[in-house]
Amino acid sequence: MNPAAVTDADWYRQAVVYQIYPRSFADANGDGLGDLAGITSRVDHLVRLGIDAVWLSPFYPSALADGGYDVDDYRNVDPRLGTLDDFDTLVDTLHTNGIRIIVDIVPNHSGSGHAWFQAALAAGPGSPERDRYIFRDSPDDEPPTPWGASFGGPAWTQVPDGQWYLHLFDPAQPDWNWDNPEVIADFEQTLRFWSDRGVDGFRIDVANLLKKDLSEPLPRGRDEDGLSWATHPRLSDLPSVHEIYRGWRKVFDEYSPPRVAVAEAWVPAASRVAYASPSELGQAFNFDLLKAPFEAGAWRRIITDNLELAARSGSSSTWVLSNHDMVRHVTRFGLPDSDLEGTRHKLSGGDDPVVDLPRGLRRARAATAALLALPGAAYLYQGEELGLPEVVGIPDDQRQDPTFFRSPGVDVGRDGCRVPLPWTVDGTSFGFGTNGSHLPQPPSWGDFSVEAETADPDSVLNFYVEAVSLRHELQTSEELVFKDSAPGVLHFARPGGWECLANFSEASIDLPDSQVVLASGELDGDQLPAETTVWLRVPTTKG
Ligand code: GLC
């Protein structure tokens, strides 16, 4: 990394960040699970993509009750994924290639195999060990509150001595008690542990949930079905949660450049401002485009609102079309428009609406070109650069997501976006590893492989490479100005004569008389076809 880049404290504001779900990226030791050495062996792919940073989803020791988001030891590497030495090698290799790394911190809950949870179970009611988690008595044989867990079922599980512990997610993910000073100190130690090893920042899992109001009287009756994490007054976004992040900011600022962080906070848009402020985490995910229809008006509103919110927080905005929790956007955009919203992970391949994949892909390319032209940080999810669709129809006995087991079977869960990447056209697991893959890859996977797409000049991969590289060249500041445009069309200008014209409509429109530097699909003479985006270079007027 060049010396100026190393000291640039603002690197994250306009970064292209690539999310790696480590178990599904590349498998170096042939056990069917991706690992850290696998990532290191594929750094050339990341270099070619031109990304600024990698966000690594959890790679810590875990029983995998929730794909690694059940952490049994926050300061170690899952032996199936490698060692701390492998981690150091990965960080060095990325840094040598000018790529930063942020790691996932999961502070709302641990895994049930965590030493402190095991100690809490052994120590019994009223002990200091139990106070690190949220244990309660309940007068009758009902859970202390009627809350439902995010993956289905009640949010409390009873232990043999009669007490109940709270888990907003799976029973294997007991919630920490953030009123306990030992918990606060332990997480600060974790932040320093990884910062000392050279990580550049952190992605904070469900940052809004850490503090809970369990003061009496606890609600009785049944509200399991109506529970909404974003707005539940006793569970989400309590004012005291921000004290935690103000404390973390002090830790981040012990380093030079300061470590950065991005909050995953499922809260109403206006409430994101505090998490993203420079006195707290510094940035927060905006998930609006994950839920947005493919529609110019909706995009314009989302862009306007989020640039305004980001300015209010003193941060930059973030943009996301796919991640490890959502149906991949090629598939989402191929659904009938009426089904676009509310499609979190409901596709089973059974009675689901028919997906028009060619259309989904066309729209996905157009959306990506629009997203990469926006000011702020672009978060990409592994495999979207290959145009991977969601894998539907994974056999029930091969599913892994707790959502599937606890719904039960009603919501198929998130495995379809976590299927291991294809690297080669043929071969065992399409180059993912030498011995199969932990989730089944469909037979068509080779067509999407890095090898196949490298050879095809019109591939999604070559389009991403070109777009990311041009973005770096063209991006000079964080300003954006909307231009007048017809309904169904989004047109905005960035400083230096860079414009983005996105035709969300179903009809062609005239292309202006300026140089096209990037096109998400084939152009038709002087026409911009339906569902296609271009970047233009327009002469700047010197004043
Ligand atoms: C976040 C993660 C998700 C995980 C959940 C519980 O939403 O993105 O994958 O299941 O938190 O940790």
Side-chain angles (χ1 to χ4, degrees):
M1 212 177 281
N2 76 47
V6 173
T7 54
D8 176 11
D10 282 339
W11 68 267
Y12 67 97
R13 292 182 67 96
Q14 305 295 313
V16 177
V17 183
Y18 180 87
Q19 180 190 357
I20 291 185
Y21 189 75
R23 289 171 181 83
S24 298
F25 189 73
D27 170 21
N29 68 358
D31 64 356
L33 270 191
D35 43 43
L36 298 183
I39 302 171
T40 303
S41 75
R42 296 291 186 184
V43 166
D44 57 340
H45 177 66
L46 307 175
V47 170
R48 183 157 151 235
L49 260 177
I51 52 149
D52 300 292
V54 160
W55 147 30
L56 207 52
S57 280
F59 52 86
Y60 316 108
S62 164
L64 300 187
D66 180 20
Y69 284 88
D70 47 319
V71 180
D72 286 345
D73 179 353
Y74 289 85
R75 298 190 283 272
N76 214 334
V77 174
D78 189 316
R80 289 165 291 188
L81 271 68
T83 61
L84 282 168
D85 282 347
D86 292 331
F87 182 83
D88 294 343
T89 304
L90 173 60
V91 173
D92 282 353
T93 312
L94 289 171
H95 282 171
T96 305
N97 284 285
I99 299 173
R100 291 184 164 82
I101 175 168
I102 69 179
V103 299
D104 228 303
I105 296 291
V106 190
N108 179 66
H109 42 265
S110 69
S112 51
H114 193 286
W116 280 7
F117 189 67
Q118 289 303 314
L121 291 179
S127 59
E129 286 85 353
R130 281 217 173 164
D131 188 57
R132 295 175 184 139
Y133 291 90
I134 302 174
F135 280 85
R136 288 291 183 277
D137 297 315
S138 189
D140 38 37
D141 224 14
E142 289 284 307
T145 68
W147 300 333
S150 180
F151 299 139
W156 296 89
T157 290
Q158 195 168 24
V159 298
D161 57 43
Q163 280 208 310
W164 300 75
Y165 66 90
L166 181 70
H167 51 85
L168 295 183
F169 294 88
D170 193 78
Q173 293 169 296
D175 283 31
W176 289 108
N177 172 16
W178 274 92
D179 293 331
N180 183 312
E182 282 185 294
V183 171
I184 297 172
D186 196 60
F187 271 89
E188 294 192 355
Q189 195 183 333
T190 295
L191 296 175
R192 289 197 183 92
F193 178 86
W194 294 111
S195 298
D196 290 342
R197 291 197 107 85
V199 313
D200 302 281
F202 303 95
R203 177 262 187 193
I204 312 302
D205 194 65
V206 290
N208 53 311
L209 295 180
L210 276 48
K211 286 282 197 165
K212 283 102 186 172
D213 174 6
L214 292 179
S215 58
E216 297 296 332
L218 288 173
R220 306 298 300 174
R222 305 196 68 77
D223 72 351
E224 276 178 26
D225 297 336
L227 188 135
S228 154
W229 300 123
T231 51
H232 198 290
R234 283 175 177 261
L235 299 174
S236 176
D237 201 27
L238 269 68
S240 54
V241 81
H242 297 291
E243 282 162 25
I244 300 172
Y245 302 127
R246 285 193 285 270
W248 287 14
R249 171 51 55 190
K250 294 199 181 96
V251 178
F252 301 150
D253 289 349
E254 288 166 11
Y255 294 86
S256 173
R259 297 318 186 224
V260 304
V262 54
E264 184 210 28
W266 290 96
V267 293
S271 307
R272 283 205 296 268
V273 170
Y275 297 87
S277 81
S279 58
E280 295 193 21
L281 296 172
Q283 201 173 54
F285 280 122
N286 139 38
F287 292 130
D288 296 355
L289 292 180
L290 282 170
K291 293 172 282 173
F294 188 82
E295 203 258 299
W299 273 60
R300 183 168 171 153
R301 274 192 301 282
I302 288 171
I303 295 167
T304 308
D305 291 353
N306 281 288
L307 292 181
E308 196 265 319
L309 285 172
R312 247 202 280 160
S313 67
S315 181
S316 60
S317 190
T318 57
W319 308 103
V320 187
L321 285 170
S322 275
N323 65 27
H324 67 297
D325 290 330
M326 296 293 168
V327 169
R328 283 190 177 274
H329 64 275
V330 166
T331 299
R332 241 171 37 231
F333 287 140
L335 286 164
D337 287 340
S338 53
D339 288 316
L340 262 182
E341 277 200 61
T343 314
R344 189 165 165 210
H345 31 76
K346 302 264 189 283
L347 289 165
S348 67
D351 299 330
D352 295 318
V354 176
V355 180
D356 178 347
L357 277 181
R359 183 180 209 195
L361 185 59
R362 184 167 67 243
R363 288 174 155 194
R365 289 175 67 130
T368 298
L371 177 142
L372 286 172
L374 293 171
Y379 282 81
L380 311 179
Y381 174 51
Q382 70 178 38
E384 69 166 88
E385 79 279 19
L386 304 174
L388 290 185
E390 184 82 359
V391 178
V392 296
I394 295 175
D396 289 357
D397 62 357
Q398 295 187 51
R399 290 205 173 271
Q400 300 176 8
D401 188 353
T403 314
F404 174 74
F405 300 104
R406 292 181 62 78
S407 53
V410 176
D411 186 337
V412 296
R414 302 161 293 181
D415 296 320
C417 66
R418 299 173 177 182
V419 172
L421 293 192
W423 295 91
T424 54
V425 176
D426 316 289
T428 320
S429 61
F430 303 104
F432 166 68
T434 52
N435 199 14
S437 84
H438 67 103
L439 280 168
Q441 298 164 306
S444 63
W445 233 217
D447 299 343
F448 295 96
S449 63
V450 173
E451 182 186 18
E453 295 206 16
T454 300
D456 171 6
D458 297 327
S459 68
V460 181
L461 177 57
N462 282 318
F463 164 67
Y464 267 71
V465 168
E466 196 187 344
V468 173
S469 146
L470 257 174
R471 171 187 159 103
H472 280 128
E473 199 182 299
L474 297 173
Q475 182 126 258
T476 52
S477 79
E478 300 186 19
E479 287 153 54
L480 174 147
V481 177
F482 285 108
K483 315 272 285 184
D484 288 340
S485 52
V489 178
L490 182 72
H491 189 180
F492 57 84
R494 304 289 312 278
W498 176 23
E499 293 190 3
C500 174
L501 182 64
N503 181 6
F504 284 79
S505 79
E506 293 184 15
S508 295
I509 57 167
D510 290 338
L511 268 174
D513 185 20
S514 27
Q515 187 198 355
V516 173
V517 290
L518 180 84
S520 69
E522 214 176 311
L523 301 180
D524 182 11
D526 59 358
Q527 296 286 294
L528 177 61
E531 303 181 333
T532 307
T533 297
V534 284
W535 291 358
L536 306 167
R537 267 217 116 130
V538 298
T540 44
T541 40
K542 301 238 159 65

